[in-house]
Structures are given as structure tokens and as C-alpha cells.
Amino acid sequence: MLFDKYKDEFSYNLKLATPVVLGMLGHTFVAFIDNVMVGQLGAPELAAVSLGNSFVFIAMSLGIGFSTAITPLVAEADTENNSEQGHSVLKHGLVLCTVLGLSLFVLILIAKPLLYFMDQPEEVVVLAKPYLDFVAFSLVPLIVFQAFKQFSDGLSLTKYPMYATILANLLNVLINYLLIFGKFGFPQLGIVGAAIGTLISRVVMLVFLWYLLSQRK
């Protein structure tokens, strides 16, 4: 009987955790897709994307780690049926995540000259700088998305962020294909096209998750 109780709890936790894991993998999968698709352009382009993503990954980890504080606070408010407290946590979380996203973007721009001290060929650094600009700015919608995601997770609505992340990855692949290689009349922008794809997909990811949450009371 005790085993059955633990079995039920394990199944419930697995049902909640699986979308969370897939959603987190989705964030890193964006960079992976950029590497795979840009790698077809040549070694310098691939090195430039990898160099830019190494900068952004550190900042992204800081932003995601900061936003995780929202989930337990929302879960506590939800358990107590205190919707006012949950709303307050979301509101303040959104403000703080927006400020953090903008701060990380500015910090990356300030740190860009460090690219020249990382023992990389000048050609790679020149290619990485415009890519880094767009991907760094994509941290703003990404960190704001995290505020909504952690709020959603706190309400046990873990599938919503997963759906948004899957949509973002599919859109990123499509935009990359169009803009990296200049397909169907779109300009051939190379690695800048990959960066634009990342930015657009993260904006859409944020808007889509907001839409899903807004449909619930």
C-alpha cells in the first residue's frame, strides 16, 4: 500500500517534471541548431557562432537561475489559494526579470572587446560581433519568458512553457533556413541570419506563452 502511494507520487512528479526538462533542453537546442546550420557555411562561421554563444550561455544561466525563485513563491500562494499574492509575485518577477535581461544585454555589449583577448583569429572575432549583438538582445525576451515560465511551473502548468519552447525551436529552424542561405527570395545573411532567427523565435516564444496563460482564469 505504501509502495502504491509512492508510485502515484512518482508518476505525478514525472508528469510535471518531463515538460520542464524538455523546456530547459529547448533553450540550449537553439544554439545547437545555429551551430549545425551555420556549420555548412564554413569553419570561421561555425567558430564565430560558438564563440558568441559561449558569452551568451553564461549570461543566460544567470538569468534562468535568478528566475527560478518565482516558482516556489507562486506554488506557495497557489497552495494557500492566495491569488493576490501569486499575482504580486508574477508582477514583481516580471519587473525584475526585465531589468535583469536588459542588464545582461548591456553587460555583454560592454564585454565584447574581450573577444579580441580569447586567442581567436581576427576573422572569427569580426564575424562573431554582429551575431553576438542580436543574440545578446534576445536575452531580454528570454529572461522575461522565464518569469512567465516559472509562474506557470508554480501553478503546475508545466506543459505551456514546453509548447512555447517547441514552437520557438521550429520557428528558429525555419528562419535560419530562410535567412542563413537566402531561400525563397529572402536575403542571404549568413550567421547574422541565424542571430535574427534566435531573436524572433524567442520573442514569439514569450508572446505565445503569455497568450496561453492569458486564456486561463
Side-chain angles (χ1 to χ4, degrees), residues 185-199:
F186 284 85
Q188 184 176 353
L189 301 178
I191 67 172
V192 174
I196 294 174
T198 298
L199 175 59

Side-chain angles (χ1 to χ4, degrees), residues 49-116:
V49 169
S50 299
L51 181 61
N53 282 329
S54 66
F55 263 65
V56 174
F57 182 78
I58 297 172
M60 183 178 72
S61 299
L62 289 173
I64 291 176
F66 181 89
S67 67
T68 54
I70 296 172
T71 300
L73 296 175
V74 172
E76 180 181 4
D78 185 46
T79 302
E80 298 172 352
N81 292 319
N82 190 343
S83 59
E84 183 178 344
Q85 176 64 20
H87 179 239
S88 177
V89 171
L90 174 61
K91 182 173 66 176
H92 288 89
L94 282 172
V95 171
L96 291 173
C97 284
T98 301
V99 172
L100 179 61
L102 290 169
S103 299
L104 291 172
F105 167 60
V106 172
L107 186 61
I108 290 176
L109 292 185
I110 294 174
K112 272 175 60 177
L114 293 176
L115 292 172
Y116 290 99

Side-chain angles (χ1 to χ4, degrees), residues 16-196:
L16 286 178
T18 301
V20 175
V21 173
L22 293 176
M24 295 300 291
L25 287 174
H27 289 333
T28 56
F29 198 67
V30 170
F32 173 75
I33 286 297
D34 284 355
N35 285 340
V36 170
M37 299 186 76
V38 168
Q40 300 178 48
L41 299 177
E45 287 81 1
L46 177 59
V49 169
S50 299
L51 181 61
N53 282 329
S54 66
F55 263 65
V56 174
F57 182 78
I58 297 172
M60 183 178 72
S61 299
L62 289 173
I64 291 176
F66 181 89
S67 67
T68 54
I70 296 172
T71 300
L73 296 175
V74 172
E76 180 181 4
D78 185 46
T79 302
E80 298 172 352
N81 292 319
N82 190 343
S83 59
E84 183 178 344
Q85 176 64 20
H87 179 239
S88 177
V89 171
L90 174 61
K91 182 173 66 176
H92 288 89
L94 282 172
V95 171
L96 291 173
C97 284
T98 301
V99 172
L100 179 61
L102 290 169
S103 299
L104 291 172
F105 167 60
V106 172
L107 186 61
I108 290 176
L109 292 185
I110 294 174
K112 272 175 60 177
L114 293 176
L115 292 172
Y116 290 99
F117 299 96
M118 298 185 69
D119 197 27
Q120 296 294 318
E122 185 175 354
E123 179 186 8
V124 171
V125 174
V126 171
L127 287 171
K129 289 175 67 178
Y131 174 84
L132 186 59
D133 290 339
F134 283 101
V135 177
F137 186 67
S138 76
L139 285 175
V140 180
L142 175 63
I143 304 304
V144 176
F145 166 85
Q146 279 298 124
F148 281 113
K149 176 189 181 301
Q150 301 303 146
F151 173 77
S152 184
D153 289 348
L155 297 177
S156 300
L157 303 173
T158 55
K159 288 186 178 181
Y160 285 1
M162 181 188 69
Y163 295 151
T165 305
I166 292 174
L167 174 63
N169 276 279
L170 293 175
L171 186 61
N172 183 52
V173 172
L174 175 61
I175 297 175
N176 277 4
Y177 179 73
L178 295 175
L179 296 184
I180 292 176
F181 307 110
K183 300 296 183 178
F184 299 105
F186 284 85
Q188 184 176 353
L189 301 178
I191 67 172
V192 174
I196 294 174

